[in-house]
Amino acid sequence: MFLSCEKEVQTQIEIKTIRDTIRIVDTLNVDRPINLKASKGAYGSKITISWTPMPLAQKYQIWKFNDLTQKYDLLKELADTTFDDININKPLTKNFYKVRTFNTSSSFSRFNDADYGYTSISNYYKLLTFGSEGSGASQFNFNMHIEVDKIGSIYVSDEGLNRVLKFSAAGSFIEQFYSGSGARAMAFFNNGNYIATRTQSSSYVQIFNPNKQLIKEWGTYGTGDSNFGNIECLTIDDEQNIWIVDGVNHRIKKYDQNGNLLLKFGKQGKAEGDFDAPFGICYFKSKIYVSDTRNNRIEVFDKNGKFLKVFTIRGYIFGIRAFGDNIYLANSGEGTIIKTDENGDIQEKIGAGSFLNLVDVTIAPNGDVIACDVYGRRIIVFRKG
């Protein structure tokens, strides 16, 4: 009797071992999902989770991290490969997800690598619009670049009319501030001097004192150290050095205020550190951010021109500015100003439906977001409500 019981126990152990083995084999034969993506700020009040369909998969399980229990909970079991999580309590809060193939309790995969998503917010409203088509005061022909000074005055570079017009923060015309062939980007130094750029002239870069007296100029057409194919945007770093985007030559140049070339980098291509028609540039948290327009991405470099990282953005990104802890991108492709953090995570989309052709953006000292609508021949100002 005792031997019979012992044999039965042994048999049960062997059966369990076989079942466990079958389960392991089944598990290993089912692929785990790949390319898990959770939307980051692009869908308003919901997070969309998606992944690539896998062979042999009949259904999947989505698990969501629970901050209270510090564990993942089963969120949804489904046959589809996309799901909208509408139970989001707070915007701009990271929600973590992981997914596995789950055909039966004995046939399932390992989990894939987790990804996080979050919802964005909508705080900005259209404060004012000014400008129209023409050549008079407060009129534009091809208003491609925009800048503000430390008191909030707005400067609009009109490439078509070869001039920069100055406006008050309320959009009132003040003066024609600068005249230059194909007027492009400008910026202000800490000491009150300012830099203005132009094309098709004897000097592409000019520096003036606060009294508008020319104190330095350099740059002609070409590909050399002091040449430009054209000038798109520029930025000034914490050492008051000048970083200029040459979109035609697909490169960035760094100069001091005396026009001495300190650094140059970039060539046409798609590899990390390459560009295809770069346009915007800004200095942010000791790094240089460049909008690589035709490659649909933002590339990040250190102050020595060393490539650090890249993040992709759907659409064509032109102007780019930094303010506070955020970066603002003029996304011409989708007609919105995208507000992100330093890693490209979208915080908010501003001005959807407001533009005919959004090209440049800048931020006023009070945080107002100011944008160039080129085809609309106007400037639009948004304010955080």
Side-chain angles (χ1 to χ4, degrees):
M1 183 69 177
F2 178 77
L3 290 175
S4 175
C5 289
E6 184 178 356
K7 184 176 182 179
E8 184 176 346
V9 170
Q10 181 63 35
T11 301
Q12 292 298 323
I13 292 174
E14 290 174 355
I15 291 172
K16 184 178 184 302
T17 301
I18 292 171
R19 286 176 177 170
D20 289 345
T21 302
I22 292 173
R23 182 173 178 176
I24 291 171
V25 171
D26 283 346
T27 301
L28 294 176
N29 283 336
V30 180
D31 292 326
R32 66 175 182 169
I34 60 173
N35 298 325
L36 174 65
K37 295 180 180 178
S39 61
K40 297 173 174 60
Y43 294 94
S45 60
K46 66 182 179 181
I47 295 174
T48 297
I49 306 107
S50 63
W51 58 92
T52 300
M54 304 307 297
L56 305 180
Q58 299 172 18
K59 56 184 178 178
Y60 307 90
Q61 287 183 336
I62 304 174
W63 293 67
K64 181 178 181 179
F65 189 73
N66 187 321
D67 289 326
L68 294 177
T69 64
Q70 294 293 292
K71 295 179 180 179
Y72 279 89
D73 296 332
L74 177 62
L75 176 63
K76 183 71 175 180
E77 192 171 291
L78 72 171
D80 201 357
T81 57
T82 184
F83 176 75
D84 291 333
D85 183 5
I86 60 174
N87 296 314
I88 309 300
N89 296 324
K90 293 175 60 178
L92 305 180
T93 300
K94 293 181 179 179
N95 294 264
F96 287 83
Y97 305 88
K98 59 183 181 180
V99 177
R100 67 177 178 178
T101 303
F102 191 87
N103 294 337
T104 68
S105 60
S106 61
S107 178
F108 56 89
S109 72
R110 293 175 293 125
F111 285 104
N112 56 15
D113 293 334
D115 191 23
Y116 68 88
Y118 57 86
T119 57
S120 60
I121 52 180
S122 181
N123 283 325
Y124 288 83
Y125 64 93
K126 188 185 296 184
L127 176 67
L128 66 95
T129 300
F130 63 90
S132 61
E133 185 171 9
S135 58
S138 300
Q139 291 187 312
F140 309 115
N141 175 266
F142 208 63
N143 46 310
M144 282 282 288
H145 297 84
I146 192 165
E147 186 56 285
V148 292
D149 60 23
K150 63 182 181 180
I151 65 170
S153 299
I154 301 169
Y155 300 78
V156 182
S157 299
D158 191 332
E159 179 181 332
L161 295 177
N162 305 310
R163 66 186 188 182
V164 175
L165 300 183
K166 180 180 179 180
F167 299 86
S168 71
S172 299
F173 175 77
I174 296 176
E175 64 174 329
Q176 179 170 313
F177 184 77
Y178 172 79
S179 178
S181 175
R184 297 296 177 93
M186 62 172 296
F188 291 88
F189 297 97
N190 289 342
N191 62 4
N193 292 348
Y194 62 91
I195 179 172
T197 58
R198 55 187 184 174
T199 63
Q200 303 171 359
S201 63
S202 58
S203 57
Y204 277 40
V205 182
Q206 296 182 309
I207 295 180
F208 299 84
N209 65 21
N211 296 319
K212 300 183 181 180
Q213 296 171 321
L214 179 67
I215 56 178
K216 189 69 181 182
E217 61 182 336
W218 73 90
T220 55
Y221 180 81
T223 60
D225 288 352
S226 61
N227 302 138
F228 302 93
N230 73 341
I231 290 177
E232 297 297 357
C233 293
L234 60 88
T235 193
I236 298 173
D237 65 24
D238 59 331
E239 298 176 299
Q240 300 298 282
N241 292 315
I242 308 156
W243 300 72
I244 298 177
V245 178
D246 185 341
V248 168
N249 288 324
H250 311 281
R251 66 186 180 190
I252 309 300
K253 287 184 173 181
K254 176 183 178 182
Y255 294 91
D256 65 19
Q257 293 185 49
N258 292 315
N260 298 310
L261 180 67
L262 304 177
L263 179 69
K264 63 178 179 179
F265 58 92
K267 60 180 177 61
Q268 188 172 20
K270 296 183 178 298
E272 293 179 345
D274 290 347
F275 303 110
D276 192 355
F279 187 92
I281 188 169
C282 71
Y283 176 73
F284 181 57
K285 295 188 176 182
S286 300
K287 301 178 183 66
I288 297 295
Y289 287 69
V290 181
S291 61
D292 186 9
T293 303
R294 288 207 288 253
N295 283 327
N296 309 115
R297 64 188 184 182
I298 303 298
E299 294 195 85
V300 186
F301 303 84
D302 67 15
K303 291 172 67 175
N304 295 314
K306 178 184 176 182
F307 173 84
L308 298 176
K309 62 183 178 180
V310 63
F311 55 88
T312 58
I313 299 287
R314 184 173 62 184
Y316 293 100
I317 307 301
F318 285 88
I320 173 173
R321 289 293 199 282
F323 183 81
D325 290 324
N326 297 106
I327 302 173
Y328 298 77
L329 312 174
N331 189 336
S332 179
E334 65 173 28
T336 59
I337 300 162
I338 300 178
K339 179 181 177 180
T340 79
D341 64 11
E342 60 188 295
N343 298 312
D345 286 345
I346 299 171
Q347 308 292 298
E348 188 166 357
K349 293 188 175 184
I350 303 166
S354 299
F355 306 101
L356 296 179
N357 185 24
L358 169 65
V359 174
D360 201 10
V361 62
T362 193
I363 314 300
N366 67 352
D368 285 353
V369 177
I370 310 168
C372 276
D373 184 5
V374 177
Y375 292 168
R377 272 64 176 184
R378 59 189 177 181
I379 304 301
I380 305 177
V381 182
F382 300 89
R383 176 165 291 178
K384 192 171 183 178

